[in-house]
Amino acid sequence: MEPIAEKKRAIFESTLKLVRENGFHGTPMSMVAKHAGVAAGTIYHYFGSKDQLIGELFTYVQQQVIAVIKKENCETISFKACFFNLWFGLYSFYRENPEVLKFFEQFVNSPYNTARPSPEQDELHELLSTFFERGIREEQLKPIGTNVLGTLMHSNIISTVRLVSSGWLVLERKELELIPQIFWDGMQRTN
Amino acid sequence: MEPIAEKKRAIFESTLKLVRENGFHGTPMSMVAKHAGVAAGTIYHYFGSKDQLIGELFTYVQQQVIAVIKKENCETISFKACFFNLWFGLYSFYRENPEVLKFFEQFVNSPYNTARPSPEQDELHELLSTFFERGIREEQLKPIGTNVLGTLMHSNIISTVRLVSSGWLVLERKELELIPQIFWDGMQRTN
DNA sequence: TACTTCCAATTGAATGTTCATTCGGTCTGC
DNA sequence: GCAGACCGAATGAACATTCAATTGGAAGTA
C-alpha cells in the first residue's frame, strides 16, 4: 500500500540476511539492530515482537515471489512457453536471492509458521493453481488437481536451486533445461 | 554397531517428538529430560552438547530412511516396478513418521547443518544415485545425472507427503499414483 | 521571522526470564 | 569398595523486551 519506511525496510533486509547466515535463533534482536543501523528499541516501534517481525518479513518476501509469478504469467504466448518462462523466472529469482529461499524454507518448517493457510487462501499457491487451470483447459494434461501441479512444480524448482546453489554440481544450460522438461513431459496425458 | 542404550533411545525419541511440535528452539534440554524420564545431567552423559544431540539424532533418523531405501531397492524385479516400490515405500515411511520428516526439514535448513556432505558422501543420496544408475543402464532415460534424478525424486515424494499430511487435500490411491507416474513418464527419453 | 508546542521517531541501558551446562553427590551392580 | 550411570539444584550467559529520556521536525502563533 504505502511505501515502507526506510528503517523498516532496513530491518527487513538485515533480518533476511542474518537469518540466512545464522538461523532464527542465532539472530538476536540486538544483532538485527546493529546490522540495520538502528537501536534495539526502534525495532519495537515497528514490530510488536520478534515473532511479528518474522511473520511480517515472510509476507514481505512472499510478495516478491508473487511478483515474479505475475510477471511471467502471460496469456499472449502459448501455455508451454509460459510454463518454461515461469519455471526459469522462479529459478532465476531464487538463484539470485538465496537468502529469500533460505528464509522461506526455514520459516515454513518452523513453529513461527502457525496457522498456515490452505492453498486456496495462500496467494502464491493460488496463482500457481490458476496458472495450471489454463494448462488443463488448453492442453492434454493428466487429470491431476491444479494445486498438486502447482506444489510439485514449486518444489521441483526449489530442489533444483538448492542443488545448484550448494555447488554440488554445475549444470550447463542444456542440462538445466531437461529438468522442467521432465516435469512438462510427465504432465502430458500418455494413453 | 552396538545396540543403543535405552536411555539414549528415549532421549532421541523425545527430542524427535518435541522438536516436531516446538522446533529446535522451543525445545529446551530440560523439556527433553522430563519427557524422556531422565535428569538433565543424564543427557550430558550421552551427548556433549545440545548441538551434538541434534547432530546424532539426524544420523539416527537418516539411518531409518536409508533402511527403507535398502529394503525397497530390489534387483530381482523390473526397474520400473522397483521405482514405484521405492517411491511408495518412502512415501509411506514419511507419511507414518511425520516427526521424522519435520525434523529432517528443520535440520537441513538450520545452522546445525554445517558441513553438509556432498551427495557423493551422503549415503542417502548415494543410494538413490546408485538406484538410478540401474535405470540409466536398463531403460531409455533422458541424459540426466543420477544425483539430479535422486534429488528430484526425493523432493517429489516429500512435497507430496507434506501436501497430504497437512490435510490440504485428500488423494485417492488412483490420484496418488499419478504423481510418481508424472515423474516416471517425464524421465523417459521422448525423441 | 522567531518562538513555542507537540508528538512520533529514536535511543540504549536496565530488567527479568529462559535456558544450556556444570558438578557434587547418590545409587547400583559387580 | 570401585566405576560407571544417574540425579537435579545451582550457575552464569544470552536474549527479548521495556521505558525514561532525547531528538527533530511539522504545525501553530504572533
Side-chain angles (χ1 to χ4, degrees):
Chain A
M1 317 304 150
E2 58 190 59
I4 301 173
E6 268 324 296
K7 292 273 161 91
K8 194 165 178 178
R9 183 183 302 277
I11 293 168
F12 274 157
E13 297 297 339
S14 295
T15 309
L16 203 52
K17 177 176 156 61
L18 292 170
V19 165
R20 166 177 149 79
E21 287 167 5
N22 314 309
F24 287 129
H25 314 288
T27 307
M29 295 296 258
S30 55
M31 196 187 283
V32 174
K34 184 189 282 188
H35 189 277
V38 303
T42 304
I43 299 178
Y44 288 86
H45 180 70
Y46 291 104
F47 306 96
S49 65
K50 187 175 183 177
D51 285 19
Q52 245 171 67
L53 164 58
I54 302 284
E56 286 195 35
L57 178 52
F58 177 72
T59 310
Y60 170 79
V61 155
Q62 201 182 35
Q63 287 307 316
Q64 299 183 358
V65 179
I66 286 171
V68 174
I69 298 178
K70 285 187 171 160
K71 175 162 158 285
E72 302 293 355
N73 189 350
C74 167
E75 293 274 347
T76 64
I77 56 175
S78 75
F79 177 73
K80 181 173 181 180
C82 192
F83 168 82
F84 282 90
N85 280 351
L86 183 51
W87 199 98
F88 280 105
L90 283 172
Y91 174 83
S92 304
F93 175 77
Y94 286 129
R95 193 80 177 82
E96 286 154 22
N97 300 278
E99 68 286 350
V100 170
L101 180 54
K102 190 86 184 192
F103 176 84
F104 239 71
E105 302 215 284
Q106 283 200 44
F107 182 86
V108 165
N109 296 297
S110 78
Y112 287 111
N113 187 25
T114 54
R116 184 159 22 148
S118 70
E120 291 79 43
Q121 294 160 331
D122 173 348
E123 192 180 353
L124 197 156
H125 282 91
E126 203 192 357
L127 275 172
L128 289 177
S129 275
T130 310
F131 172 75
F132 279 108
E133 271 164 28
R134 181 181 164 203
I136 298 281
R137 215 184 314 122
E138 298 183 9
E139 308 272 342
Q140 293 293 308
L141 299 187
K142 291 196 175 83
I144 303 181
T146 52
N147 42 8
V148 176
L149 291 176
T151 303
L152 291 181
M153 176 184 181
H154 200 219
S155 87
N156 183 265
I157 295 167
I158 283 175
S159 54
T160 306
V161 172
R162 259 211 298 250
L163 209 51
V164 174
S165 290
S166 68
W168 281 350
L169 83 173
V170 181
L171 293 177
E172 301 288 326
R173 178 75 189 190
K174 277 289 171 201
E175 302 170 89
L176 183 60
E177 279 171 356
L178 279 175
I179 294 176
Q181 190 69 49
I182 287 180
F183 194 70
W184 175 262
D185 290 345
M187 279 192 307
Q188 306 303 122
R189 194 188 286 265
T190 47
N191 64 353
Chain B
M1 319 301 153
E2 58 190 57
I4 301 173
E6 267 325 295
K7 293 271 161 96
K8 194 166 176 176
R9 182 182 303 277
I11 293 167
F12 274 156
E13 298 296 339
S14 296
T15 308
L16 203 52
K17 177 177 157 61
L18 292 169
V19 165
R20 166 177 148 79
E21 287 167 3
N22 313 310
F24 287 128
H25 314 288
T27 307
M29 295 297 258
S30 55
M31 196 187 281
V32 172
K34 183 189 282 187
H35 189 276
V38 303
T42 304
I43 300 178
Y44 287 86
H45 180 69
Y46 290 105
F47 305 97
S49 65
K50 186 174 183 178
D51 284 19
Q52 245 172 67
L53 164 58
I54 302 284
E56 285 194 36
L57 177 52
F58 178 72
T59 311
Y60 170 79
V61 154
Q62 201 181 36
Q63 286 307 316
Q64 300 182 358
V65 180
I66 286 171
V68 174
I69 299 178
K70 286 187 170 159
K71 175 161 157 288
E72 303 293 355
N73 188 351
C74 167
E75 292 275 346
T76 64
I77 57 175
S78 75
F79 178 73
K80 181 173 181 180
C82 192
F83 168 83
F84 281 92
N85 280 351
L86 182 52
W87 199 97
F88 280 105
L90 283 172
Y91 174 84
S92 303
F93 175 77
Y94 286 129
R95 193 82 176 80
E96 286 153 22
N97 299 278
E99 69 285 350
V100 170
L101 180 54
K102 189 86 183 190
F103 176 83
F104 238 70
E105 301 216 283
Q106 282 201 46
F107 182 86
V108 166
N109 295 297
S110 78
Y112 288 111
N113 187 26
T114 53
R116 185 160 21 149
S118 71
E120 291 78 44
Q121 294 158 332
D122 173 348
E123 192 179 353
L124 197 156
H125 282 92
E126 203 193 357
L127 276 171
L128 289 177
S129 274
T130 310
F131 171 74
F132 279 108
E133 270 165 28
R134 180 179 166 205
I136 298 281
R137 214 183 316 120
E138 299 183 11
E139 308 271 342
Q140 292 293 308
L141 299 189
K142 292 197 175 83
I144 303 181
T146 52
N147 42 9
V148 176
L149 291 175
T151 303
L152 291 181
M153 177 185 181
H154 200 220
S155 87
N156 183 265
I157 295 167
I158 283 175
S159 54
T160 306
V161 173
R162 259 210 299 248
L163 209 52
V164 173
S165 290
S166 69
W168 282 349
L169 82 174
V170 181
L171 292 177
E172 301 288 325
R173 177 76 188 186
K174 277 289 172 202
E175 302 170 89
L176 183 60
E177 280 171 356
L178 279 176
I179 294 176
Q181 190 68 50
I182 287 180
F183 194 68
W184 175 262
D185 290 345
M187 279 193 305
Q188 306 304 121
R189 195 188 285 264
T190 47
N191 63 354

